[in-house]
Amino acid sequence: MSFTEKKLSSSRVFDGRIFKVERDEVELPDGSHSFRECVRHSGGAAVLFNRDGKIALVRQFRYLYGEELYEIPAGKLNEGERADVSALRELEEETGFRAKKIIPLAEIYPTPGYTDEIIHIFYVDEAQFCGQNLDEGEFLNVEFFSVGEVGAMIDDGRIKDAKTIIGFYRFKEKFFR
């Protein structure tokens, strides 16, 4: 049995700067109809940067959670931008480090129940400092932590961000033994 749902119609509910919301009517596998509320997002890119055995994390306030979070550098893909180019751009903007070589770690669907966002996670271990260049309205600190410290921060709940947790464990699996 196929579980595929067929889109019958779609209407735009919201058209924002970061995402769009559509309401789709779908035909379900049994022939009945239902609706899907879809957050359309261009996707994102994130990079785990390991500098001399220390991982770069950015600490920034996240309004929707009402708290400061530790995350690997990341950002939204610009229209038509390749994920690796976005990851390198975000690394430079947020940490001030420019890299040339980037290695894919994972491609994740962070919330498949309501958004089509895909986050591409990469790894960098060689970069030169060139100066931080934050976006307007962006406020964050860059901090470096040992692999053990990052693991402990995940274990005790100081790191809650999914892309950071997945990136960290993929990094450990591939590069840290």
Side-chain angles (χ1 to χ4, degrees):
M1 174 182 179
S2 171
F3 298 110
T4 302
E5 297 177 0
K6 179 182 172 189
K7 180 168 46 171
L8 301 173
S9 65
S10 182
S11 62
R12 177 75 40 93
V13 177
F14 174 78
D15 194 355
R17 185 177 58 86
I18 297 174
F19 61 86
K20 297 166 184 12
V21 179
E22 297 173 355
R23 185 172 191 262
D24 294 355
E25 182 178 6
V26 298
E27 182 180 309
L28 301 175
D30 67 0
S32 63
H33 292 195
S34 189
F35 291 92
R36 300 289 179 249
E37 294 169 345
C38 311
V39 174
R40 305 292 185 187
H41 191 283
S42 64
V47 59
L48 188 139
F49 173 38
N50 175 23
R51 181 174 176 238
D52 301 325
K54 302 256 185 181
I55 295 171
L57 296 177
V58 297
R59 183 174 48 88
Q60 61 185 325
F61 183 79
R62 290 299 195 175
Y63 175 78
L64 291 172
Y65 294 105
E67 62 183 281
E68 291 181 1
L69 299 183
Y70 282 103
E71 305 171 49
I72 57 176
K76 182 176 149 316
L77 295 178
N78 293 327
E79 189 172 332
E81 185 178 39
R82 288 191 347 232
D84 58 340
V85 172
S86 176
L88 290 169
R89 176 180 48 77
E90 289 294 337
L91 177 68
E92 185 173 333
E93 286 176 6
E94 294 187 0
T95 69
F97 284 87
R98 182 177 297 142
K100 291 183 180 165
K101 181 181 168 194
I102 191 164
I103 300 167
L105 282 181
E107 181 178 285
I108 64 171
Y109 299 170
T111 318
Y114 65 85
T115 183
D116 62 356
E117 179 183 21
I118 299 171
I119 299 176
H120 306 268
I121 305 172
F122 296 91
Y123 172 72
V124 164
D125 63 2
E126 294 179 23
Q128 299 297 317
F129 187 74
C130 62
Q132 194 178 43
N133 184 25
L134 298 175
D135 290 333
E136 185 177 331
E138 188 172 37
F139 303 93
L140 58 83
N141 282 340
V142 180
E143 301 176 33
F144 287 86
F145 297 92
S146 71
V147 172
E149 288 172 317
V150 173
M153 292 166 77
I154 291 169
D155 289 345
D156 69 20
R158 284 180 286 163
I159 295 177
K160 299 174 188 169
D161 176 60
K163 70 183 172 304
T164 300
I165 294 169
I166 292 167
F168 175 74
Y169 284 115
R170 290 291 293 144
F171 154 73
K172 278 189 66 172
E173 177 185 290
K174 285 183 117 175
F175 299 104
F176 192 80
R177 303 255 182 233

